[in-house]
Amino acid sequence: MALPIRLSTVRALIKEISVSAHSDKPLVVGGARSLAEALRRELGAGAQQSPEGAAVYVHILGAEDDEASLRRARRARVPIVALAPQDVESVPYVLATDIVRLRPGAGFPVEALSTVIAQRLGESAAPLAARMPVLRGAVGEQLVESFARKNGLVAAAVFIPGVDYPILVRNQIRLVLRLEQAYGLDPDPRARLPEIAGTILAGLGFRAVAREVLDVVPVAGWAVQGAVAYAGTRALGEAALMRLEAVAPRGQR
């Protein structure tokens, strides 16, 4: 039986993710000095305060030069996430969806901040999460949801039987490799071969399920295909996350 995806495509995926693993762009925290220092310690971020060259710039409102710092990050084309009090309606140079609200006496909303960072960076959050374990949960969940949604749309939009399958499998392999990258695993193809093979086999299983369901519910086949692709990709990603959480060193979960 022919493979649903070319080996050259798999090699290209591994190479791309291996190259991105060498990225050393940091998460930079700036803004209100005392709060910024405390947040750096909580996140495990470095001491760099300049937004230039950062993977993402997290700014805590409360400094005299708030707008200047945010403008500097914008000019450097660095993604910005802001922490602001609830009574602040908007933050210059920051999208409303990228503002995380601070509550007096409640501590830093690290979980909400991690979720916004994961959504803002997309796949490029994976190499950052490999160096900052506090981000891994949010990055993993965002990757799973993003790829599941993407595969659901692909399966629903492609009407020619079989044309979508290589795309779906490619996305599923990419998802698993990105999750493993976020958890700091070596992208060496020899080390990742079992997971890649398992992903391909899982894809075959999901394909068989879709065909069985289509036999029972022939109407609105596009909706069935989309639903199976979404659910299958999500199940695959969640299983990978459970495995990765189980093997992650204590203190890095």
Side-chain angles (χ1 to χ4, degrees), residues 140 144 175-176 179 232-242 244:
V144 170
L175 168 61
V176 171
L179 290 174
T233 303
R234 186 167 190 86
L236 183 70
E238 289 176 349
L241 279 178
M242 290 178 62
L244 290 166

Side-chain angles (χ1 to χ4, degrees), residues 49-52 57 65-78 80 93:
Q49 299 179 38
S50 170
E52 284 83 3
Y57 176 59
D65 61 345
D66 278 338
E67 188 166 350
S69 297
L70 292 166
R71 186 189 306 114
R72 186 176 177 182
R74 176 67 176 271
R75 286 177 176 173
R77 298 185 178 181
V78 173
I80 307 171
Y93 308 106

Side-chain angles (χ1 to χ4, degrees), residues 107-194:
F108 293 114
V110 174
E111 185 175 344
L113 176 61
S114 299
T115 297
V116 172
I117 290 172
Q119 293 172 344
R120 186 71 175 82
L121 296 184
E123 283 190 60
S124 60
L128 182 62
R131 304 191 305 275
M132 300 184 67
V134 68
L135 300 178
R136 288 178 182 171
V139 170
E141 290 176 7
Q142 169 61 20
L143 287 170
V144 170
E145 174 60 25
S146 174
F147 277 94
R149 187 168 58 247
K150 187 183 301 183
N151 269 3
L153 291 172
V154 168
V158 178
F159 296 100
I160 302 174
V163 172
D164 61 332
Y165 188 41
I167 302 173
L168 300 181
V169 173
R170 181 182 184 278
N171 284 341
Q172 289 169 348
I173 293 174
R174 189 182 188 90
L175 168 61
V176 171
L177 291 176
R178 281 297 191 190
L179 290 174
E180 292 180 341
Q181 180 184 47
Y183 279 78
L185 297 189
D186 187 353
D188 187 307
R190 292 168 296 183
R192 304 279 67 83
L193 185 59

Side-chain angles (χ1 to χ4, degrees), residues 182-228:
Y183 279 78
L185 297 189
D186 187 353
D188 187 307
R190 292 168 296 183
R192 304 279 67 83
L193 185 59
E195 290 88 348
I196 292 171
T199 301
I200 294 173
L201 290 174
L204 290 170
F206 298 143
R207 191 71 174 176
V209 169
R211 288 174 177 170
E212 290 291 335
V213 175
L214 283 172
D215 288 340
V216 178
V217 188
V219 180
W222 61 272
V224 171
Q225 291 178 174
V228 172

